[in-house]
Amino acid sequence: MSNTLAHIQEQLRPELDAMNAIITATLTSNSELTNSIVTSYLKSKGKLLRPIVTLLSAKFFGGVNQKALQGAAALEMLHNASLIHDDVIDEAQERRGIPTINSVWSNHVAVLVGDFFVTGALRCGVATGDGRILSALADMGRDLSLGEIDQVDIARNHNIDEGTYMDIIRAKTASLFECCAVVGGYANDAPQTAIDELRRFARLLGICFQIKDDTFDYYHDPIIGKPTGNDLREGKVTLPLIYALRRDDLPEHDEMLALVNKESPTGEDIDRLIDFAKRAGGIDYAYEVMQRLRDEANDVLSPYSPDETVDQLREIFDYVIERRL
């Protein structure tokens, strides 16, 4: 984990501890099995990037209060519910180097535990006492689901361009980051115009996060826990390859396009597509897009006087681009 993110986590330690206490209390039940699975799962906390963005947004608009803590807890539980369900869909055996719920128990149990996280998020949303926050959480969940469904639909047709790709990742990933900014603003009754501006920053951050995540598919890294070419095996064409396939000046362009449209590409086909994307400058292009998104995000923050929170928001963006997992 980047020293930058670790430093921000340490600065937010009291708030993150309070949020984690809410999550633990919310997910405690009379079911011995559920408590055992949840306790084990929560021992392996991720980067906590989304609650950090929520708490920084709250600080940006005035301060971290109980509404912001409940909202951050709701967002973190919804995020984890999506990961648990994703592991079932992907038949993943590990996440963050730890066996997944579905690999230890079953898909059935994992889906139910994921649903239990969703109900916990709803309880925290209600605990904010703010209908605007509940509405924002509901809209985000809708966008996230539709983004994932659209990705599956487009993968079936092998028909994707950069604009469509951006629309999908805005819905399936950036919507959660946007909700973080909105919750932090509503928790402090900030003006809607100001909330919309920070929401734009969060949208750019979320898009950048997914682009960086997609580049991992082109390299083998056991820490990430995702095999090389996994997205392509599922029919998902991401930015590096989208860019490479625009290079109709390259002699192998037509052959690579045929491989993408192949009904069941082999392992060798996947390897060739990955190599093609790299050689055609796809990874470099992805980084160019991320730098452009960072410039846009800095423009959003430029009217505000530099302070610790504004600096930390900028640092989070840098971390997202530079992270290794």
Side-chain angles (χ1 to χ4, degrees):
M1 184 180 298
S2 142
N3 288 334
T4 297
L5 186 63
H7 180 64
I8 293 173
Q9 284 179 335
E10 202 50 46
Q11 290 177 307
L12 290 172
R13 181 56 51 203
E15 292 89 347
L16 288 171
D17 286 346
M19 181 206 70
N20 284 323
I22 290 171
I23 291 175
T24 299
T26 303
L27 295 178
T28 298
S29 70
N30 294 325
S31 165
E32 193 172 314
L33 175 59
T34 303
N35 288 340
S36 172
I37 295 172
V38 169
T39 300
S40 176
Y41 183 86
L42 292 179
K43 283 179 182 175
S44 169
K45 291 184 174 64
K47 296 174 284 290
L48 299 176
L49 192 57
R50 291 149 193 85
I52 285 173
V53 173
T54 308
L55 297 174
L56 288 179
S57 299
K59 288 179 69 177
F60 183 84
F61 289 118
V64 176
N65 52 29
Q66 195 60 25
K67 265 192 191 182
L69 291 172
Q70 293 283 356
L75 285 160
E76 180 64 1
M77 281 187 279
L78 285 173
H79 171 57
N80 279 282
S82 72
L83 296 182
I84 293 168
H85 288 156
D86 282 349
D87 287 340
V88 172
I89 294 167
D90 297 340
E91 299 180 353
Q93 298 301 298
E94 287 189 352
R95 181 176 288 277
R96 305 172 193 137
I98 294 173
T100 56
I101 296 173
N102 52 288
S103 69
V104 174
W105 297 94
S106 65
N107 286 345
H108 187 184
V109 170
V111 169
L112 293 174
V113 171
D115 291 346
F116 184 63
F117 272 70
V118 172
T119 63
L122 290 173
R123 290 175 63 197
C124 284
V126 170
T128 67
D130 192 323
R132 299 170 303 173
I133 290 177
L134 267 175
S135 180
L137 291 169
D139 289 344
M140 179 274 295
R142 180 178 184 273
D143 285 348
L144 192 153
S145 300
L146 290 175
E148 291 285 2
I149 292 169
D150 285 345
Q151 185 171 56
V152 170
D153 185 37
I154 288 169
R156 286 178 176 174
N157 300 318
H158 307 289
N159 181 25
I160 188 168
D161 55 28
E162 186 170 333
T164 305
Y165 168 80
M166 290 294 181
D167 288 342
I168 287 173
I169 65 175
R170 204 289 310 165
K172 77 170 194 137
T173 302
S175 60
L176 188 47
F177 285 87
E178 290 182 57
C179 195
C180 295
V182 170
V183 167
Y186 285 155
N188 284 280
D189 294 317
Q192 189 62 50
T193 52
I195 293 175
D196 290 342
E197 277 300 291
L198 196 63
R199 179 177 190 159
R200 181 171 160 240
F201 170 90
R203 179 184 308 127
L204 295 165
L205 177 66
I207 291 171
C208 189
F209 182 93
Q210 188 59 56
I211 292 173
K212 180 59 185 260
D213 216 50
D214 289 342
T215 66
F216 293 144
D217 197 51
Y218 295 81
Y219 299 94
H220 176 68
D221 190 335
I223 297 175
I224 297 170
K226 186 170 80 168
T228 308
N230 195 56
D231 288 338
L232 284 171
R233 286 184 187 86
E234 296 175 0
K236 300 172 186 174
V237 181
T238 54
L239 190 58
L241 186 55
I242 289 171
Y243 170 80
L245 291 171
R246 291 210 304 258
R247 297 281 310 276
D248 55 10
D249 58 307
L250 298 175
E252 64 266 58
H253 170 268
D254 291 350
E255 185 182 359
M256 293 300 110
L257 188 60
L259 287 183
V260 168
N261 290 317
K262 196 172 176 181
E263 192 63 38
S264 300
T266 65
E268 183 183 349
D269 295 335
I270 299 296
D271 290 342
R272 292 181 66 195
L273 285 168
I274 289 171
D275 181 62
F276 172 68
K278 291 178 181 177
R279 286 188 291 104
I283 302 296
D284 291 338
Y285 178 73
Y287 274 91
E288 287 174 17
V289 172
M290 287 189 279
Q291 298 287 356
R292 189 163 68 240
L293 292 168
R294 176 166 58 184
D295 290 343
E296 288 183 45
N298 283 334
D299 287 343
V300 173
L301 296 178
S302 61
Y304 300 95
S305 301
D307 64 12
E308 181 181 70
T309 303
V310 171
D311 290 344
Q312 288 172 334
L313 288 168
R314 294 184 193 275
E315 289 167 2
I316 285 288
F317 217 110
D318 291 339
Y319 161 76
V320 163
I321 295 176
E322 296 163 7
R323 69 195 174 97
R324 297 295 302 276
L325 70 160

